[in-house]
Amino acid sequence: MADKLDFMSELAKDVEAKKHGQESTFGSINDFVPKDHHREETDFDKTQDYEAKQEPKPAAKPRPAQQPSPAPSAAESAEPASEPAAEPAGEATSGQDSAQPEGEGKPQSFEDLYESSSPQKNDAQGPASFQEEVRVKVDKPKKRLSPVGIGIVAALVALVAFLIWFFLIRAKITLPDFAGKNLSEVSSWAKQNKIQSTSIATSYVFSMEYDNDVVISQTPAAGTKVKPDTPINLTVSKGPDPDEAISFPTDIKSMTYEELTEWKNENKLSKTKITTEYNTAFPAGSVISYEVKNGSETDFRRNTTLNIKTSKGPAPAGQVTVENFVNKNYNEAMAWANNKKVNINKQEVNSDKVDSGYVISQTPAAGQAMQEGETITFVVSKGKGVKVPDLVGYTKEQLEAWKSSKNNTLTVVTKSIYNEAPEGTVIAQAVPPGTVLDSGDVLLLTISLYMPILETNSRAWIGKDYLELRAWCDAVNDKGVDIQAGEWGPDFQPIYSDEFPTPGQVIKYACYYGTSDIADGCGRPLTANSRINYQRSLGPKTVKNAVTLTQADLASVQSMINFCDNNKMSCVVEPKSLGTGEYVRVVFDGKQRSNTDTFQDVVLQGTYFMVYYDENTNPSPTPSPAKDVVLTSDHLLNLTSISNFCNSSGMTCKFKPQTDPSAANITVYIDHDQTGTEYDSDDQFQVILKSNQKLFVYYKDELPPAPDPDEEEGGEGN
């Protein structure tokens, strides 16, 4: 069998031949085989070849000589080289129907050949030919995470969720058991744990078991973890119901002192008072008399006032019979008490009916018995008092009329501050209206000055020294306002001016936050927080005999002295001894410069310089000014609270002893001064201190020893 030809090579030759007018030399498609593709003949091929030889072959339609045969299909390119020889040109291929497809015999383009070179399906015509193409879809496997990868992703998601819950959602504060505790203890706990006040709701009920303002129950329960905004509901006692009806004893006169006390305590009768006195007519413990004041025995309630007097029996030896001193001079009563060896409790009150120094009433009353060493109370008149009216809002004329009244025997002292009220109006008084003061007592009133007035004409401060303006601000600020003067913004920076040649002269000024929007804003009284912006002169623009001061001139003390000597300046060095300090600064004409600054100043000959130096390379920073801090009783709850106060306020605190941070019995001394500056954790107070003061903190159950001002023991809290 002859070797088959390569289709593409022969096709190229055929195309080239046709270009030169030669005839096509193509034969049957079976004459070709793809290059370098060989395979063995299969049983299927042999069977097909045998069947083709047995069937009669119809005459094939003649094919034009120049028509090229289609390119072999991929299926045929795999046929073995031992295939039967191709049929002669013009005859049909064995195994195919004699009928040709429509258009067969027409010239085909290269694209048609390329398309027809795909394998054909094996249909009823026999084996697949090169005219059919079989397309096979290949599905690529999708990428999937391995079980280990899925596990890692799940773990990361769980970790992120846990961190969000732990830091943002989880409740961190443990709710204590408030039952039986006073509301003040709940308030202290809430402040320490930064619980929002709006989160705590209280509902009040009457209770025989719990006193007033004591917690009965709570929601959530004790031990629950809460957040600062978690709602907390407290049921709080209002104490026993004061209007509750109480059964009045029908046999009260036959009850003993012990029985009466038990009845009083059992029913929580806060308005019932049981007193005892010596009496020979009634046995010890029996009722002498009783009195119901704001009610009756048939309508007796818990808030009804009941006074019961019981007997202590006959008085022992040393008994004193009380005399009547009402409307008598107190000196007589005092002399009698001293003679009878009884103690005196003097109470002074104002009286419109009893003259000053005379007894208004006494307890025990006249005729009663008392023992030596017991106490008798005398209420003594201070004379007619002065009832202070509500003076706030009084005009200057109204106040003068009240002060000159014959019924007013008080000494009135006033202080004046700036205020929006009209000038001379009373804006505050030291005691509440209705207070009764003794004759000659001092009454302090605060009077309005109205608001500060900066200028009497529109150019009042032009050309004046800017320090006068600043001094004016200091003066008015001493009377209750906060007005500042300064150089703010680029339009108010100091400049050289020939019109205002004296350094420090005010060139222009303006007022802000004032009451006027006309011109510079200073034309009407200023408000309490006004700001005055001014521009000052640095001297004339044309400077004669001027020299330039630079950073290099401050390289050392000696270089600054040389600058002064060379330019006819006056220099004073502090400290007095000549030093070689590396940090040098000068003060002149209201300025301050140092060798750490970058500057270039024009100064006049004859300028006065103060030269300061420090031998340290890094000078100590200027200490911050002391500030006001407020110390309250809440800061003395325990060592933690006082330590937090010291740290936050910048105060120096010394603790003694230095251990046991849970101690709650706290006493502090300020600057070792024990005169009026000792504060205890049991006190209620609020005091203003300076941050540069020292606190000496003592704790535990024993009183602290007198502190030694030179003692340096104890840890510092700051």
Side-chain angles (χ1 to χ4, degrees), residues 237-311:
S237 171
K238 294 195 292 185
D241 185 358
D243 293 325
E244 182 181 357
I246 304 297
S247 177
F248 192 85
T250 56
D251 56 346
I252 187 172
K253 297 213 63 172
S254 63
M255 296 175 68
T256 65
Y257 176 83
E258 289 76 13
E259 291 172 338
L260 290 169
T261 303
E262 182 180 355
W263 173 72
K264 172 187 174 181
N265 295 337
E266 182 180 309
N267 291 280
K268 296 185 180 297
L269 304 176
S270 59
K271 296 290 186 178
T272 296
K273 182 179 181 182
I274 305 174
T275 60
T276 61
E277 63 181 42
Y278 291 110
N279 193 291
T280 57
F282 293 88
S286 62
V287 176
I288 299 174
S289 63
Y290 69 90
E291 179 184 13
V292 180
K293 285 194 173 180
N294 58 333
S296 65
E297 297 180 17
T298 56
D299 187 24
F300 189 81
R301 300 182 181 275
R302 183 169 284 110
N303 60 353
T304 301
T305 300
L306 173 62
N307 295 323
I308 305 174
K309 190 181 297 183
T310 61
S311 173

Side-chain angles (χ1 to χ4, degrees), residues 384-421:
K384 187 177 181 180
V386 180
K387 188 176 182 180
V388 180
D390 186 359
L391 297 172
V392 175
Y394 271 36
T395 63
K396 183 177 181 179
E397 293 75 15
Q398 290 173 323
L399 178 61
E400 289 298 326
W402 178 80
K403 288 168 59 178
S404 60
S405 171
K406 65 178 181 179
N407 295 324
N408 179 22
T409 58
L410 300 177
T411 300
V412 178
V413 176
T414 62
K415 70 172 183 178
S416 300
I417 65 172
Y418 289 105
N419 187 271
E420 293 181 357

